[in-house]
Amino acid sequence: MTKKSPQDNSQPPSNGRRALLDFGPLLLFFGTNYLYQDLMLSVKILVLTTIISLGLSWSYERRIPAMAAFGCAALVFFAGLTLYFDDELFIKVKPTVLTLIFATAIAGGRCIGRNPLAALMGSNIKLDYEGWRKLSWLWVSMFISSAVANEIAWRNLSTDAWVTFKVFGLTGISLVFIVLTLPVIQKHQQQD
């Protein structure tokens, strides 16, 4: 058993805490919009709670996941545009733009012989080459599916219905793909 240094206050991440930090801001975004039917207020709540969530992540774990940090930066950017121009279009297209950036980064990396997904997740998962290849293309598919679904949703649903879709529909798409990745991880996981 290793001893912690006096400066190391980090705690190992717990699944419940991680889920709350990841999904709490989205649920508050949904709840605020549901109660007040005010997207601009809901966006402010989402930004504030996301920043608080990242701060708590740092406080508890002494790290901020790279995808969460990038997602927060994109949120602040698109939310800022939404609030500055008083135009909900910016926050509605944010999931499309963000997921396409992730899909392009992973696909582009794979095409030039790199493995961006392993760089992001390699400390948590150990897979062989074929496992990372399959997992990468599954994630590219997930991000593209999310982008297409978001484009259809924001163009065809009311703002309130889109908020519900963003919180539950996009999360549902992610969960489906997570279930699809489990057999790949189990088959290609390497032992230390």
Side-chain angles (χ1 to χ4, degrees):
M1 182 172 180
T2 60
K3 287 181 135 183
K4 284 186 177 182
S5 69
Q7 292 92 5
D8 184 11
N9 296 349
S10 66
Q11 302 171 12
S14 80
N15 290 336
R17 182 174 59 222
R18 173 63 21 220
L20 184 60
L21 292 173
D22 289 345
F23 296 110
L26 269 178
L27 292 174
L28 288 170
F29 172 67
F30 171 77
T32 302
N33 194 71
Y34 180 79
L35 291 173
Y36 298 102
Q37 285 84 42
D38 182 345
L39 184 65
M40 298 304 164
L41 174 63
S42 302
V43 167
K44 291 174 187 174
I45 296 295
L46 179 60
V47 169
L48 178 65
T49 56
T50 300
I51 292 169
I52 290 170
S53 172
L54 285 182
L56 289 171
S57 242
W58 176 256
S59 174
Y60 288 129
E61 301 168 13
R62 290 293 183 234
R63 69 178 194 88
I64 296 174
M67 286 181 70
F70 185 75
C72 183
L75 171 64
V76 169
F77 177 73
F78 282 97
L81 292 174
T82 298
L83 297 170
Y84 182 79
F85 291 108
D86 194 27
D87 187 346
E88 61 191 38
L89 172 68
F90 296 105
I91 202 68
K92 288 181 173 180
V93 299
K94 181 208 125 248
T96 301
V97 172
L98 191 60
T99 55
L100 288 178
I101 288 171
F102 286 142
T104 302
I106 294 169
R110 294 302 308 184
C111 289
I112 63 169
R114 302 279 188 237
N115 192 350
L117 195 58
L120 286 173
M121 302 174 64
S123 64
N124 297 327
I125 302 172
K126 304 287 185 220
L127 300 177
D128 61 25
Y129 176 84
E130 186 64 15
W132 281 118
R133 188 187 68 73
K134 288 178 180 178
L135 197 63
S136 293
W137 292 113
L138 267 171
W139 278 50
V140 167
S141 299
M142 174 187 68
F143 287 133
I144 290 172
S145 298
S146 294
V148 169
N150 186 63
E151 282 300 298
I152 293 168
W154 80 260
R155 292 171 189 271
N156 294 293
L157 299 175
S158 69
T159 296
D160 292 339
W162 173 80
V163 168
T164 302
F165 168 79
K166 180 191 176 353
V167 173
F168 299 105
L170 291 179
T171 301
I173 290 170
S174 297
L175 291 174
V176 166
F177 276 92
I178 287 170
V179 168
L180 293 175
T181 65
L182 292 176
V184 173
I185 292 171
Q186 288 173 344
K187 181 177 180 181
H188 296 280
Q189 193 162 22
Q190 294 181 322
Q191 302 303 321
D192 288 333

